[in-house]
Amino acid sequence: MKIEDLYQMVLSKLGHIKEDESKLSRVFILLEQMDVDGGEEEIVGVDVEDGEEYRSLVMQIADALNDGFVCFVNPQTLEMEPVDCKGYYDAIEIAEQNEDMMDEYDLDFTKWDGYIRLQPFGREELRTAMGKFALEIDDPKLAEKLQNALEANKPLRKMLDMIRDADKWLVWQVFKKQEIINYVKGELADTDLPM
């Protein structure tokens, strides 16, 4: 297939979803993940008037959470420290509960006056996101299978396998990233950030 033909196919697909903000936002996130830079576009789910610093912070946190990190945000300085959960999680718990041991782990957030702690999605959050995904996916047969899988044993594993088998993995990743962005915005919404 020639590149021009492929380009025309992509344009025609975009034409079908041009009125659907949710689907267009997923396309934008996918393009962003592919490192396609079109300039000063709005990050999906973040209003332009929120400012570049806020948008950048939201995306940094969302990326880290998506990669499985626990994120600590200093609401006064907007510093963000991602901490790998694997092997470090106990250190975080110990550092938060025992001031004498904080310096031992060399975690910056322990030196801040205060912080906001954001967790990566656990099983319940993933299950909720997958339930939403099953309701919004444009493939009715797959949507029904995914909804049925939610009721089965080990629903997350089954749903992820179904998504891969249906060749919808990228669609799921974009959807999940948007859910994480919404979560981050919700957590930051009640905080008086210096912006």
Side-chain angles (χ1 to χ4, degrees):
M1 176 179 292
K2 293 181 182 178
I3 194 163
E4 183 62 33
D5 294 337
L6 185 58
Y7 177 73
Q8 290 303 320
M9 284 176 54
V10 169
L11 281 179
S12 71
K13 294 286 185 191
L14 286 174
H16 292 288
I17 64 168
K18 68 182 178 184
E19 301 299 323
D20 188 330
E21 185 177 346
S22 173
K23 288 180 181 177
L24 283 174
S25 68
R26 292 183 196 144
V27 169
F28 177 77
I29 292 170
L30 178 61
L31 290 172
E32 185 176 276
Q33 288 174 345
M34 293 170 55
D35 201 23
V36 174
D37 190 342
E40 294 293 319
E41 283 136 18
E42 176 184 356
I43 293 173
V44 178
V46 178
D47 297 327
V48 174
E49 60 266 17
D50 286 336
E52 184 61 35
E53 194 172 10
Y54 178 79
R55 290 191 303 266
S56 176
L57 178 65
V58 168
M59 290 309 295
Q60 287 175 29
I61 296 168
D63 287 341
L65 293 175
N66 196 34
D67 291 339
F69 290 84
V70 174
C71 289
F72 296 89
V73 178
N74 184 328
Q76 285 81 38
T77 64
L78 300 182
E79 292 174 84
M80 191 268 296
E81 181 175 25
V83 180
D84 190 354
C85 292
K86 299 175 190 95
Y88 236 137
Y89 194 78
D90 290 339
I92 293 170
E93 296 296 322
I94 291 168
E96 284 184 323
Q97 295 172 12
N98 188 345
E99 289 185 29
D100 296 337
M101 298 181 76
M102 284 185 179
D103 292 337
E104 183 177 332
Y105 298 105
D106 195 32
L107 298 170
D108 291 337
F109 80 90
T110 61
K111 299 169 185 86
W112 299 340
D113 289 335
Y115 57 83
I116 303 165
R117 178 183 178 153
L118 295 107
Q119 298 280 123
F121 278 7
R123 289 188 183 277
E124 282 308 308
E125 292 88 0
L126 276 176
R127 186 182 176 132
T128 300
M130 286 184 166
K132 288 180 185 178
F133 181 72
L135 293 173
E136 292 186 24
I137 194 158
D138 60 357
D139 181 339
K141 288 181 183 178
L142 179 60
E144 184 178 345
K145 287 180 183 178
L146 292 174
Q147 289 170 354
N148 290 337
L150 274 173
E151 305 305 321
N153 290 334
K154 299 184 181 182
L156 300 180
R157 172 61 50 211
K158 288 180 182 176
M159 290 183 82
L160 290 174
D161 289 343
M162 286 179 196
I163 291 167
R164 276 192 196 96
D165 292 345
D167 213 15
K168 298 285 186 183
W169 187 253
L170 282 177
V171 176
W172 160 246
Q173 291 299 314
V174 169
F175 184 88
K176 182 177 78 165
K177 178 82 176 275
Q178 184 62 49
E179 289 295 303
I180 293 170
I181 289 169
N182 293 340
Y183 161 69
V184 171
K185 286 178 59 184
E187 292 296 305
L188 296 179
D190 295 333
T191 306
D192 188 23
L193 300 175
M195 290 184 256

